[in-house]
Amino acid sequence: MATILVYVETRGGAVQPIAFELLAAARSLAAPAGWTVEALVCAADPAAPAVEITAADCVLTMAHPALSPYLPEAHAAALQAVVDERQPDVVLFGYTTAGLDLAPATAGRTGRTLAAYCRTLALDGGALTASAQVYGGKLIAGIEAPLPAVACVMPGAFAEDAGRIAGSPERIVLPAPATLGALKTRVLEELFPEAGGVDLTQASRILCVGRGIGEAAKIAGAAEVAELLGAELAGSRPVIDAGWMPKARQVGKSGTKVRPKLYVAVGVSGAPEHLEGMAKSDLIVAINSDARAPIFGAAHFGAAIDLFDLLPALADRLRAG
Amino acid sequence: MHAAVVLRLVPDIADDLEISESGNDIDREWVGMKLNEFDDHALEEAVLLKERAGASVTAVALDGDGVDKLLQSAIARGADRVVKITYDELPPLPAAAAVAAILADAIQALGADVVLTGVQTPEDAGGQLAAALGARLGWPHLSAVAGVQPAPDGLIVRQEHSGGYATRVHAAGPVVLGVQSASQPPRYVSGSKLRQAIGVKPEKRAGGEAFAGPVAMVRRLAKPASGGGAAMWKGDADAVADQFVALLRERGLLKG
């Protein structure tokens, strides 16, 4: 029978939320086609996270000390062994650091086609079809990936509830490949977010500055509005990479995921990796001079206006109460 | 140590992007092309390896319009050697596996033992190059790299994950790195250095055999709806500010 294999990402012995979204995606693909869904948990001790997986037909586990903490070389080797052995028709990864590592690696090592940045998935004859965000979300690509295929799925594209439904999956323990004993890379140290300082996850209001701010000196105007709003100031990745704000203030895939009551995005285009970090905020207001900026797809309210015109006008009104 | 850094010209997504008549590509005639911003960081990290550990740096790019200038700017930034790779044809938004097949032979022939490139591009719908290149070369790879330090017996690489979590990974042999951010912002290059580099003519090498396996293809491109899901406020700055404050008041979100 045809199968869909879901790579289950874990950290610290817990399943990462993206895995449940992938299970939801897999079930939505598999059900109409009568396919089965297999989930793969690779870790030093996969038993505890594997128990969390109930929405698959079968849960595969592989245990080896090299599999925790996450090491791309180890997980790529494990996946190659599993995919070569079980020959799934579709393999699903999330758009995370592990997904960026493992989706192309698995496709390349096992001769599968690959679709990245997927927001929708469907089976169409002998191909997986997907719609994918490209050019920072400015365009949507319709991709056709002949089977067998690998897909890297955007967080938030599938609701995780359907990936958490109760069930009694078959559970199979797989042997670790010998290649895990001869790796050329090893994890020296895990680095966790520093305690203290700004914690954006606890902020009820956030004003986030994006690339549109142009230069470090102009952040002061946004900082003043943040202060008047009672909001923490944050930055999107380009702002952080340019050294204009500390890393602790980054929102997005490689920064912090936030869910404040109010999220104001100024000059943020809304690249997929940024949306991943803030799209579940209660109220999102976006200011961008480009009416087609993808941030408006995630925002509740917005204006296509120059932020340097708006910020002073907004500051005046907030100061006046 | 010999570091190869793969540089790519990509459309400037700040420009208006129009879809070509074929429907599966953007109209590249009028769009501005620029160095992929993650490749910019990869180049910076490669040059830092040169400064910290005496690595030689070769910048590599697929041949095409604007590539000589791109590679000359890499010389101005600190690259020792620049090579452009010729190839027959690639489809729009090509699969990472197809690009990796073209580059891998040349990278091996150069004798590189570390490859750096950007973690992603705005148009890699067919997957990211670093991991595909690692698979093609049979080397380990790491994506989302945010800093590389030389070590006596290899490299120490910082890999970033979500939520501020990261790992430090030791790589003992050849490795491919998908760089997300360099250890420091990409350096400014003076006009005089750029002018000096204009005299450098990039070497030309033939790429590897075209990828033989099946690949995913982009069949069509479309624009998302304008404004997306947001209720859009109209008017000038004062009008928008008034609506913004009214919303905050209605939702009880004004400070104090």
Side-chain angles (χ1 to χ4, degrees):
Chain A
M1 182 182 286
T3 58
I4 299 170
L5 178 68
V6 170
Y7 170 77
V8 176
E9 200 170 322
T10 67
R11 188 186 301 170
V15 174
Q16 295 294 289
I18 185 69
F20 298 106
E21 297 179 22
L22 295 178
L23 285 164
R27 291 178 61 87
S28 73
L29 274 180
W35 290 15
T36 59
V37 175
E38 296 185 342
L40 173 64
V41 185
C42 297
D45 181 6
V51 169
E52 294 184 55
I53 306 299
T54 55
D57 299 298
C58 178
V59 178
L60 312 169
T61 55
M62 181 186 290
H64 192 282
L67 293 167
S68 297
Y70 169 79
L71 179 68
E73 186 185 13
H75 281 246
L79 274 155
Q80 182 176 358
V82 173
V83 171
D84 283 346
E85 169 68 23
R86 301 189 74 82
Q87 292 294 324
D89 298 87
V90 175
V91 187
L92 298 183
F93 296 91
Y95 174 65
T96 62
T97 294
L100 290 172
D101 279 331
L102 300 174
T106 301
R109 288 166 171 235
T110 68
R112 280 164 166 72
T113 62
L114 169 61
Y117 309 112
C118 300
R119 290 208 65 85
T120 67
L121 296 171
L123 293 167
D124 184 3
L128 178 73
T129 59
S131 61
Q133 288 180 309
V134 288
Y135 301 110
K138 277 192 161 183
L139 295 177
I140 308 297
I143 302 177
E144 182 180 300
L147 298 174
V150 172
C152 195
V153 178
M154 299 301 294
F158 293 86
E160 65 181 73
D161 290 354
R164 290 184 181 274
I165 63 164
S168 302
E170 181 185 7
R171 296 183 184 273
I172 298 175
V173 177
L174 299 175
T179 46
L180 291 181
L183 302 175
K184 298 289 195 322
T185 56
R186 62 190 165 94
V187 176
L188 298 174
E189 183 183 13
E190 291 180 274
L191 304 167
F192 297 93
E194 288 177 18
V198 64
D199 181 358
L200 292 178
T201 64
Q202 299 302 310
S204 65
R205 303 167 198 198
I206 292 173
L207 185 147
C208 184
V209 174
R211 187 198 306 266
I213 201 76
E215 58 183 286
K218 293 181 177 171
I219 291 176
E224 184 189 9
V225 171
E227 168 68 24
L228 291 164
L229 283 169
E232 286 287 356
L233 187 66
S236 64
R237 186 195 51 72
V239 169
I240 306 300
D241 285 353
W244 298 344
M245 276 190 215
K247 179 79 177 173
R249 293 192 180 272
Q250 182 179 346
V251 172
K253 183 174 80 69
S254 53
T256 303
K257 291 181 184 175
V258 299
R259 200 172 180 173
K261 290 180 180 171
L262 172 66
Y263 189 89
V264 182
V266 293
V268 175
S269 65
E273 54 268 30
H274 185 78
L275 300 183
E276 179 188 338
M278 45 61 72
K280 292 182 179 175
S281 304
D282 290 354
L283 176 63
I284 301 169
V285 178
I287 306 299
N288 195 297
S289 56
D290 180 358
R292 289 189 179 275
I295 190 69
F296 292 122
H300 302 102
F301 293 87
I305 189 170
D306 189 323
L307 70 93
F308 298 112
D309 292 336
L310 179 66
L311 288 177
L314 194 54
D316 286 348
R317 282 156 181 79
L318 293 170
R319 232 181 270 113
Chain B
M1 186 189 312
H2 183 177
V5 56
V6 180
L7 305 179
R8 293 162 289 186
L9 284 171
V10 296
D12 185 346
I13 59 172
D15 284 0
D16 282 337
L17 300 178
E18 297 299 328
I19 298 167
S20 67
E21 282 187 14
S22 66
N24 67 345
D25 196 5
I26 58 169
D27 185 342
R28 293 175 188 266
E29 189 169 353
W30 299 107
V31 71
M33 301 294 281
K34 58 182 277 193
L35 173 62
N36 180 39
E37 65 174 300
F38 295 109
D39 297 356
D40 197 4
H41 283 261
L43 175 59
E44 181 62 34
E45 200 65 38
V47 174
L48 288 171
L49 280 176
K50 175 181 175 178
E51 293 169 349
R52 292 168 176 167
S56 64
V57 176
T58 301
V60 176
L62 292 181
D63 199 4
D65 290 345
V67 164
D68 282 9
K69 192 174 173 189
L70 171 75
L71 291 173
Q72 286 159 352
S73 72
I75 289 282
R77 290 268 296 275
D80 301 295
R81 183 180 173 190
V82 287
V83 177
K84 58 182 180 183
I85 309 295
T86 59
Y87 61 100
D88 286 339
E89 197 176 358
L90 281 170
L93 289 75
V99 179
I102 292 169
L103 290 169
D105 288 353
I107 284 168
Q108 283 193 313
L110 288 170
D113 46 19
V114 56
V115 178
L116 302 96
T117 191
V119 62
Q120 61 193 115
T121 78
E123 53 184 355
D124 50 7
Q128 293 72 35
L129 179 61
L133 201 48
R136 184 80 184 184
L137 291 165
W139 296 2
H141 67 274
L142 292 106
S143 301
V145 169
V148 184
Q149 295 290 329
D153 51 351
L155 294 171
I156 296 173
V157 181
R158 180 186 171 103
Q159 182 174 46
E160 295 212 332
H161 297 260
S162 61
Y165 173 76
T167 52
R168 290 175 71 238
V169 176
H170 181 266
V175 66
V176 183
L177 305 176
V179 177
Q180 179 167 285
S181 57
S183 303
Q184 65 181 40
R187 67 194 61 194
Y188 169 78
V189 181
S190 67
S192 62
K193 277 192 171 179
L194 285 168
R195 282 190 292 278
Q196 285 171 19
I198 286 173
V200 175
K201 190 173 170 63
E203 298 170 40
K204 195 182 274 193
R205 281 178 177 265
E209 294 285 317
F211 185 70
V215 291
M217 301 291 285
V218 171
R219 296 300 185 197
R220 64 193 174 283
L221 289 175
K223 290 191 176 186
S226 178
M232 299 297 283
W233 292 322
K234 303 293 182 194
D236 62 10
D238 287 327
V240 169
D242 285 339
Q243 292 169 90
F244 197 158
V245 171
L247 174 72
L248 296 176
R249 186 170 288 116
E250 176 194 320
R251 300 290 178 98
L253 288 168
L254 280 175
K255 183 182 177 184

